[in-house]
Amino acid sequence: MGILGVLGGMGPLATVDFMSKVILHTPASQDQDHIPMLVSSIPQVPDRTLAYRGEGASPLEAMLLNVKRLVVGGANGLVITCNTAHFWFDEIRKAAKLPMIHIADAALETAAKATGHHPTLGLLATDATVASGLYFSREVSDVYGGRIQAEWVLPTVIEMNELVMPGIMAVKAGNILEGRRLLSRAGSCLKRRGAIALVLGCSEIPIVLKCEDLDILLIDATDALAEKAVNWSMNYGFKGSGRKN
Amino acid sequence: MGILGVLGGMGPLATVDFMSKVILHTPASQDQDHIPMLVSSIPQVPDRTLAYRGEGASPLEAMLLNVKRLVVGGANGLVITCNTAHFWFDEIRKAAKLPMIHIADAALETAAKATGHHPTLGLLATDATVASGLYFSREVSDVYGGRIQAEWVLPTVIEMNELVMPGIMAVKAGNILEGRRLLSRAGSCLKRRGAIALVLGCSEIPIVLKCEDLDILLIDATDALAEKAVNWSMNYGFKGSGRKN
């Protein structure tokens, strides 16, 4: 099995959530059956959304330092458990020289399987993830394989400022109930405007939001990434398949 | 803050449990307030209990390889999230050349605070942890500081073979309900024989056993280790205090 490098810590609870989902996706009857992970949960990385807005330092240098810890430790592949950090995905891949799985690819593949060809998808994510087109720009990539073309419903500026971002910050601060309250309200707004499923495109959101909260299909990007990562690790070295992705 | 190296993967769920408890013990209002962790959750390590019994290969070589991943990645201190693996604590410390916190020290300190001077403590742990005296041999160390002297109540051979070890194995295989059922029964036996508190001295056990299951005080060794690790990291570099433990 390939050693999965996990660039985490953004935030710490989201890292634990990802690891838990990897364990749940792994067919295992004893310790040794589980896939090996080397995890950097080092949260001293400048805020990704502030950097994208031009209001704070770039997180790239700190992320590359933490990637290096995983590379020298022997990781064979790499995932990033923060959606917004994927804005720097290409630079990280160039430095790491490891196979990587993009979280939006994983989430969109899961959405394609679950919602058919022309779904209307709501996107719950940070201001930076929404504004950078992290999900839209991959819409026409080979992920969809021409199979589906989504219509997207986004949070408005007021919903982003009053519900989504404060909800994410509440989870990062450990205020789970407040996070759930705010993010549920944001999800309800997208549902009311026609979304048939919500893509949870920020790794703090699936920690608190469950399907039963909103009675709508949720596409958990963290869970989708975990599932793909397990498949990658378990097939590592077989027929060269582990070296792609 | 010091980067906490976590030698985990034994088992994977216990590693996630430890990380969650570190997060809960950390006063934080944003990502960057959380303590940095570099985590090896690589479970391809020979079974510790089988090795102690002389029935399987030693886990030491695999553990030292994984410790090296953490050392070269920049860890400033080290914990091991498996009680039984502490049988090799001194050899790991010698190789790592890093400050380490012993899980039994952490658990016994917590027990001393909670139960007074002469408690009768039940020990729920693997066959190897019980037989090696991992907890007893530290009984007269400076951890107690002469403050308490515990009487210990242990599982019988039948309880170990039919309840404790199968309960731990069930958790490792992801059978949470079965693990809880078996380990609760083992705990009840120790309670019936006079234990006023149970030391959960195997990191799979606190994943499934909660105080309300048994109506008895539980000393969660994983939680105690997490609390001490947070203090270590937050004081790292101040007055040289972070370099002890």
Side-chain angles (χ1 to χ4, degrees):
Chain A
M1 290 193 277
I3 298 179
L4 180 69
V6 181
L7 179 59
M10 306 175 284
L13 268 182
T15 308
V16 164
D17 184 49
F18 172 79
M19 293 171 72
S20 301
K21 285 166 180 168
V22 165
I23 294 167
L24 285 172
H25 278 293
T26 309
S29 60
Q30 56 180 353
D31 284 0
Q32 291 79 4
D33 299 337
H34 284 276
I35 74 159
M37 290 188 268
L38 194 58
V39 183
S40 163
S41 184
I42 297 181
Q44 285 72 37
V45 175
D47 186 275
R48 282 69 60 195
T49 298
L50 291 182
Y52 181 79
R53 286 172 170 169
E55 296 168 9
S58 168
L60 184 60
E61 191 182 346
M63 289 195 292
L64 290 182
L65 174 62
N66 293 331
V67 165
K68 196 176 171 189
R69 301 179 195 281
L70 302 175
V71 171
V72 298
N76 305 118
L78 187 65
V79 293
I80 309 170
T81 61
C82 167
N83 285 265
T84 312
H86 279 70
F87 183 70
W88 293 270
F89 183 85
D90 290 337
E91 283 152 294
I92 290 170
R93 179 158 60 181
K94 195 174 160 191
K97 299 185 180 70
L98 288 177
M100 290 179 67
I101 304 167
H102 194 294
I103 196 166
D105 288 351
L108 293 172
E109 281 183 23
T110 299
K113 281 180 208 153
T115 62
H117 288 248
H118 297 285
T120 300
L121 299 176
L123 179 60
L124 281 178
T126 64
D127 187 17
T129 293
V130 171
S132 68
L134 189 76
Y135 280 83
F136 311 148
S137 66
R138 303 186 85 80
E139 195 175 13
V140 290
S141 79
D142 63 353
V143 168
Y144 279 84
R147 284 176 293 129
I148 74 168
Q149 186 78 17
E151 299 276 337
W152 290 91
V153 180
L154 307 178
T156 62
V157 169
I158 287 178
E159 288 159 7
M160 182 62 81
N161 281 340
E162 297 186 358
L163 300 176
V164 182
M165 292 304 290
I168 292 166
M169 292 304 145
V171 178
K172 284 181 182 292
N175 301 327
I176 299 298
L177 291 178
E178 176 70 356
R180 175 171 295 140
R181 189 182 70 79
L182 292 168
L183 292 162
S184 291
R185 282 182 55 200
S188 295
C189 295
L190 301 182
K191 183 182 171 188
R192 181 168 48 77
R193 295 206 291 278
I196 62 156
L198 300 182
V199 174
L200 308 185
C202 167
S203 56
E204 269 67 34
I205 300 177
I207 296 171
V208 298
L209 221 55
K210 308 294 168 196
C211 289
E212 54 269 28
D213 294 332
L214 285 165
D215 195 23
I216 190 171
L217 176 67
L218 300 181
I219 308 294
D220 175 350
T222 302
D223 190 68
L225 183 66
E227 187 172 10
K228 272 185 86 83
V230 168
N231 288 336
W232 168 81
S233 175
M234 295 186 71
N235 290 303
Y236 183 76
F238 289 110
K239 306 173 204 161
S241 61
R243 305 198 171 263
K244 287 174 185 169
N245 281 304
Chain B
M1 292 193 277
I3 297 178
L4 180 69
V6 181
L7 179 59
M10 307 175 283
L13 268 182
T15 308
V16 163
D17 185 49
F18 172 78
M19 293 172 72
S20 301
K21 285 166 180 168
V22 164
I23 295 168
L24 285 172
H25 278 293
T26 308
S29 60
Q30 57 181 352
D31 284 358
Q32 292 78 6
D33 299 337
H34 284 275
I35 75 158
M37 289 187 270
L38 195 57
V39 183
S40 163
S41 185
I42 297 181
Q44 285 71 36
V45 176
D47 185 276
R48 282 68 61 196
T49 297
L50 290 183
Y52 181 79
R53 286 172 170 171
E55 297 168 8
S58 168
L60 184 60
E61 191 182 345
M63 290 195 291
L64 290 181
L65 174 63
N66 292 332
V67 165
K68 195 174 172 192
R69 300 179 195 280
L70 303 175
V71 171
V72 298
N76 304 119
L78 187 65
V79 293
I80 308 170
T81 61
C82 168
N83 285 264
T84 312
H86 280 69
F87 183 71
W88 294 270
F89 183 85
D90 291 338
E91 283 152 295
I92 290 170
R93 180 157 60 181
K94 196 175 159 191
K97 298 187 180 68
L98 289 177
M100 290 179 67
I101 305 167
H102 194 293
I103 197 167
D105 289 351
L108 293 173
E109 281 182 23
T110 299
K113 280 181 208 154
T115 61
H117 288 248
H118 297 283
T120 300
L121 298 176
L123 178 60
L124 281 178
T126 64
D127 187 17
T129 293
V130 171
S132 68
L134 191 78
Y135 279 83
F136 311 149
S137 67
R138 304 186 84 81
E139 196 176 12
V140 290
S141 79
D142 63 353
V143 168
Y144 280 84
R147 283 175 292 129
I148 74 167
Q149 184 78 15
E151 299 276 337
W152 290 91
V153 180
L154 307 178
T156 63
V157 169
I158 287 178
E159 288 159 8
M160 183 62 81
N161 280 341
E162 298 185 358
L163 302 175
V164 181
M165 293 303 292
I168 292 167
M169 291 305 145
V171 178
K172 285 183 183 290
N175 301 327
I176 299 298
L177 290 178
E178 177 68 358
R180 176 172 294 139
R181 188 182 71 79
L182 293 168
L183 292 162
S184 292
R185 283 181 54 200
S188 296
C189 296
L190 301 182
K191 184 182 170 188
R192 183 168 47 77
R193 295 206 290 277
I196 63 158
L198 300 182
V199 174
L200 308 185
C202 166
S203 56
E204 269 69 32
I205 301 178
I207 296 171
V208 297
L209 221 55
K210 309 294 170 195
C211 290
E212 53 270 28
D213 294 330
L214 285 166
D215 195 23
I216 191 171
L217 177 66
L218 300 181
I219 309 293
D220 175 350
T222 302
D223 190 69
L225 183 66
E227 187 172 10
K228 273 185 85 84
V230 168
N231 288 335
W232 169 81
S233 175
M234 295 187 71
N235 291 304
Y236 183 75
F238 288 112
K239 306 173 203 158
S241 60
R243 304 200 173 262
K244 289 172 190 171
N245 279 304

